[in-house]
Amino acid sequence: MSNGSTFPPHRRLRGVLLAVLAAVVAAGVGGWLVWRASGGDGGPAHGAGPPAASRSPGGAGDHGAGGHPPDGKDSPAPGTAHGSLKGKVVLLDPGHNPHNRDHGREIARQVDIGNARKECDTTGTSTDDGYAEASFTLDVARRARTLLQREGARVVFTQDGDRRYGPCVDERAARGNEAHADAALSVHADGSAPGNRGFHVILPARVTAGPADNAAIVAPSRQLGERLAGRFLAVTGSAPSNYLGHGTGLDVRSDLGGLNLSTVPKVFIECGNMRDPKDAAQLTDAHWRQKAARGITEGITQFLTHR
């Protein structure tokens, strides 16, 4: 009989090696789970493919046509932290103006957008029951302002329902340029045909003509748009547009003064189609609009903290 273990030496060694291997595997799995819970590499929850250059049908004015619990306590986007936007400037441009309808002659005035001339502004669209796009954009922009300020950003508005009309599209671009905004976003809702559903983000095409020279901001604007589309999809649960962008939720245009004349990274978001009954039910729901504001905030935050 042996004075030590009853197992031969080679079996004792194999047991030790198996125990060490099990510990290494457990540690690796645990580390991976922590990495995933923190948002991985901080990238968008949903990758957006390359945008398709297309024109939104049936649009209005200067724009043309889930992952989180609803509302509740707003939390930072994955890979970010509260206060992460301290020192950043964000320009929010609520599309149109509730008073534009009373100033038809003023908003019809033509302005230079670089490669063309367009109306100063338009009235925007509305749902079938009369909920105006201008009211929607102000509400969502104000909600997003509150969330962005909570993250430490200085938020600049082009208008806050405090103007007789407008401002014109060239002035909207100038406001972001003058503020040296780190990111700029124009908030809209589309006015396309019923059955056309979903959101899309409009990216600037390169325009260097007349007073327009946005060449330097095309690439960062694309990055902003991709982050925004990913987080808007994750937070609201809304699908990307089914009528343009080939499922990416991204569109590229060269006919928008707000993008042509911008010298800071800027995109438009069409949060849904007001002329479609199913989209309209979301757009008129304050609960959903809060989610839209959170998606916007998270997209901007990820862009500004992961450039």
Side-chain angles (χ1 to χ4, degrees):
M1 179 177 286
S2 171
N3 294 328
S5 167
T6 58
F7 296 105
H10 71 277
R11 294 185 64 184
R12 292 201 302 272
L13 177 61
R14 183 174 63 181
V16 171
L17 291 175
L18 288 175
V20 171
L21 178 61
V24 170
V25 170
V29 172
W32 181 83
L33 291 173
V34 170
W35 180 80
R36 290 291 295 170
S38 66
D41 64 355
H46 300 264
S54 57
R55 176 71 182 271
S56 170
D62 189 43
H63 64 285
H68 292 261
D71 291 347
K73 293 184 178 180
D74 294 304
S75 57
T80 66
H82 276 309
S84 58
L85 298 185
K86 185 176 181 180
K88 301 295 186 180
V89 178
V90 177
L91 183 284
L92 292 181
D93 176 28
H96 311 289
N97 183 318
H99 308 298
N100 276 359
R101 61 186 180 184
D102 301 321
H103 298 276
R105 185 176 65 179
E106 290 89 344
I107 66 173
R109 177 172 64 86
Q110 299 283 301
V111 299
D112 190 352
I113 66 167
N115 56 2
R117 296 186 68 83
K118 291 191 71 173
E119 298 89 349
C120 158
D121 203 1
T122 69
T123 58
T125 188
S126 68
T127 62
D128 288 342
D129 62 1
Y131 181 53
E133 179 186 2
S135 298
F136 168 83
T137 64
L138 269 175
D139 183 76
V140 171
R142 287 167 176 165
R143 293 171 185 268
R145 174 172 59 190
T146 298
L147 299 177
L148 287 163
Q149 288 174 335
R150 186 180 302 170
E151 301 304 323
R154 180 168 75 88
V155 181
V156 178
F157 265 37
T158 55
Q159 60 94 11
D160 199 1
D162 51 356
R163 296 177 56 118
R164 292 173 55 243
Y165 64 89
C168 297
V169 296
D170 55 347
E171 185 181 348
R172 291 174 186 266
R175 188 76 177 98
N177 299 343
E178 293 162 358
H180 303 289
D182 296 289
L185 174 66
S186 190
V187 181
H188 287 272
D190 209 354
S192 190
N196 290 342
R197 296 199 60 199
F199 74 91
H200 64 278
V201 177
I202 304 175
L203 313 177
R206 178 173 176 169
V207 176
T208 53
D213 184 357
N214 67 359
I217 61 101
V218 169
S221 294
R222 176 185 293 271
Q223 296 169 13
L224 170 60
E226 289 174 347
R227 296 283 187 178
L228 182 62
R231 295 314 304 158
F232 196 85
L233 172 65
V235 175
T236 66
S238 297
S241 170
N242 66 1
Y243 57 101
L244 49 72
H246 303 288
T248 66
L250 302 174
D251 187 26
V252 179
R253 289 176 58 174
S254 62
D255 62 329
L256 305 180
L259 298 181
N260 292 3
L261 300 171
S262 183
T263 58
V264 300
K266 184 174 183 179
V267 298
F268 281 40
I269 184 167
E270 301 278 3
C271 296
N273 177 19
M274 298 197 101
R275 310 304 294 179
D276 176 80
K278 293 181 179 179
D279 271 11
Q282 292 183 329
L283 298 170
T284 55
D285 178 13
H287 183 72
W288 186 89
R289 293 197 300 272
Q290 182 66 22
K291 291 196 289 185
R294 282 180 44 221
I296 287 169
T297 298
E298 292 190 6
I300 292 173
T301 300
Q302 283 199 346
F303 168 70
L304 292 178
T305 56
H306 293 85
R307 291 188 65 182

